[in-house]
Amino acid sequence: MIILNTSSTKVKMSDEDEAPVVKKARIFYGSLEEKEKERLSREGTSSAARDAVKAAIEAGNINISSGESMEMEERVSERQAEVLAEFERRKRARQITVSTDDVEVKACLRALGEPITLFGEGPAERRERLRNILSVVGPDALRKSKKEDEKAKRTQDEYQQTWYHEGPSSLKEARIWLAKYSLPRAVERLDAARAQKEIPESTRTVKQQELHKALRNVNNFCSQIGDDRPISHCQFSPNSKMLVTASWSGLCKLWKVPDCTLVRTLRGHNTNVGAISFHPQATLTLEESDVNMASCAVDGSVKLWSLDSDEPVADIEGHSMRVARVAWHPSGRFLGTTCYDNSWRLWDLEAQEEILHQEGHSKGVHDLHFHPDGSLAGTGGLDAFARVWDLRTGRCIMFLEGHHKEIYSINFSPNGFHVATGSGDNTCKVWDLRHRRCMYTIPAHENLVSSVKFQPNDGHFLLTGSYDNIAKVWTHPGWSPLKTLAGHEGKVMGLDLSPDGQLIATCSYDRTFKLWMSE
């Protein structure tokens, strides 16, 4: 036995005594406020120290909680939750049935908005990817997507269906009148075609050769500055003795041809005039005080003019957007206007009302021309399509599809079955109404084709004008170039041929119009 004596303590230890108990570390959760108070009171801390601790607590430097505790066993790690979720997803994926048809698998992926294939992915990997996607979003998502696609397709089919609504009685009366007007003219045209066919082929060939020779000798006869701004349109009068021009200055002018002397300036528009057109019987049977011309402008205004006044006779109201062209029906009773609101309209001037507001183009309608019989109307639009409408029924009887850019001009041939269209794709297409197709594409110019025009009486040649500053004459039906009319310093914006076949007029962005005549 060993005895240790000290001044303060005595400790007795022997081998037989039990081993000392090891103290376990205590972990305290929550507030230490009570323990801190006990320590301070036990050590006899001064009131100044206590005040300092209190001030620190109030200042927020010492944060004291409510003394809550939490057992470690109740906490589940986020990693464990993710693993459990992954096991559940895989379990769902094994229960999902996926088609073995790779085409159907791609369709399902497309319906879910996923890429149909990944780089280096095979059919088996694609099926597994679809299975994994469905295990996340659920199989119902695919069924819902298919239902939505079917609903959208059904709605689209319903939207594309042709529908009709009841028109006014004036439209019915006008259509009956148009049928009675056009049928006799069609009979006369067909009789003239049969009579022409009975002429010996040698005689017809000689006449055609003489015409081609005359066209090759066409040269610039007169050039006249027409306005301070570009001249957008020109047209000969039915008696071939006058020419009317429209300008971006808002002025329209009447000229005597072929000496190009100014007859009258028509003042009424306040903005760019798009076109002006003579009544079919103007200068022939109509009085000068009657309505002899119609014009349109960018602001949507349409005005009617007489030959004895420089002020408009009447205004046609109804358009709210740009009116690009006006065209008279061969009868002179109706006036057609094309508008950039994707529609064109037919006005009955005798009844002084709009009888037809026709939609059908997806973009603005730029040009309009009536069939020589008066039974059809052709429209060309900025949607690169042209349509042929039957005025007697209101139906679109032919859809002219083939141009790659906007159609700026359309014109019927006097033979009754050929239609020419000029487009922004630099080509002119000739369509056959009998076979309902494009029969020839003329690579006409190096810039957009702004105007096309058949010979008024026989249609034996075709004239095209373009923004490449030239106009060209083409044979019909061979469609080979006969003559290039070069001389303008700017874009050729319009052209026309005199009804007597003696003159050709072109108007340009260079503010001039030119007359061309065979020597």
Side-chain angles (χ1 to χ4, degrees), residues 54 160 219 264 267 269 283 333-334 453 455 457:
K54 186 177 180 180
Q160 291 179 349
N219 288 305
R264 183 170 287 106
R267 307 175 187 274
H269 289 288
T283 68
R333 174 178 173 178
F334 304 100
K453 183 83 172 180
Q455 181 192 14
N457 298 324

Side-chain angles (χ1 to χ4, degrees), residues 181-471:
Y181 174 83
S182 62
L183 290 175
R185 290 174 63 91
V187 172
E188 293 177 4
R189 177 174 55 82
L190 293 175
D191 290 342
R194 295 188 187 98
Q196 182 71 18
K197 194 174 182 180
E198 292 178 357
I199 299 175
E201 186 175 355
S202 59
T203 305
R204 285 182 288 168
T205 302
V206 169
K207 288 184 178 180
Q208 190 175 17
Q209 290 175 349
E210 292 176 354
L211 176 62
H212 291 177
K213 182 179 179 181
L215 289 172
R216 289 190 183 95
N217 292 326
V218 169
N219 288 305
N220 187 9
F221 171 76
C222 173
S223 181
Q224 175 68 41
I225 297 176
D227 203 278
D228 296 334
R229 297 291 308 279
I231 300 178
S232 57
H233 195 262
C234 64
Q235 188 182 28
F236 284 102
S237 63
N239 65 357
S240 303
K241 294 182 179 179
M242 285 194 294
L243 180 77
V244 64
T245 60
S247 170
W248 283 7
S249 66
L251 300 177
C252 300
K253 296 184 179 182
L254 272 173
W255 307 82
K256 185 181 292 185
V257 292
D259 53 0
C260 295
T261 56
L262 181 62
V263 176
R264 183 170 287 106
T265 299
L266 308 178
R267 307 175 187 274
H269 289 288
N270 299 319
T271 184
N272 303 12
V273 182
I276 186 166
S277 179
F278 275 104
H279 187 286
Q281 296 301 318
T283 68
L284 297 178
T285 61
L286 285 181
E287 299 291 336
E288 289 191 355
S289 58
D290 293 335
V291 174
N292 284 262
M293 293 173 291
S295 64
C296 62
V298 173
D299 59 0
S301 61
V302 179
K303 298 183 182 294
L304 305 179
W305 309 84
S306 64
L307 291 176
D308 59 355
S309 174
D310 57 358
E311 298 290 334
V313 175
D315 292 338
I316 296 179
E317 298 178 352
H319 292 287
S320 59
M321 298 182 68
R322 173 183 175 180
V323 180
R325 293 287 185 269
V326 290
W328 289 92
H329 187 266
S331 65
R333 174 178 173 178
F334 304 100
L335 181 71
T337 56
T338 63
C339 185
Y340 273 29
D341 63 359
N342 309 352
S343 68
W344 64 278
R345 308 188 190 202
L346 192 66
W347 308 82
D348 188 343
L349 297 186
E350 288 188 3
Q352 297 183 0
E353 64 176 349
E354 173 193 308
I355 60 171
L356 179 64
H357 184 182
Q358 183 66 60
E359 297 179 343
H361 290 270
S362 59
K363 290 186 178 181
V365 185
H366 190 82
D367 197 19
L368 167 71
H369 190 244
F370 290 102
H371 192 276
D373 297 343
S375 57
L376 308 176
T379 56
L382 303 182
D383 53 3
F385 302 124
R387 291 177 179 267
V388 178
W389 308 85
D390 190 341
L391 297 176
R392 299 162 296 185
T393 62
R395 295 176 181 268
C396 176
I397 62 171
M398 187 173 175
F399 183 66
L400 311 183
E401 180 180 10
H403 283 292
H404 301 299
K405 290 187 178 181
E406 304 87 354
I407 294 178
Y408 291 107
S409 183
I410 185 169
N411 192 256
F412 284 99
S413 171
N415 63 21
F417 52 84
H418 282 158
V419 185
T421 54
S423 169
D425 59 10
N426 307 351
T427 66
C428 172
K429 289 183 180 289
V430 181
W431 311 78
D432 195 322
L433 296 179
R434 301 167 299 180
H435 300 96
R436 303 171 66 85
R437 63 179 179 86
C438 176
M439 59 176 296
Y440 198 82
T441 299
I442 306 173
H445 293 273
E446 297 178 359
N447 207 330
L448 68 84
V449 180
S450 59
S451 185
V452 294
K453 183 83 172 180
F454 278 102
Q455 181 192 14
N457 298 324
D458 304 316
H460 288 163
F461 62 90
L462 176 68
L463 191 64
T464 61
S466 170
Y467 273 22
D468 60 4
N469 303 356
I470 60 175

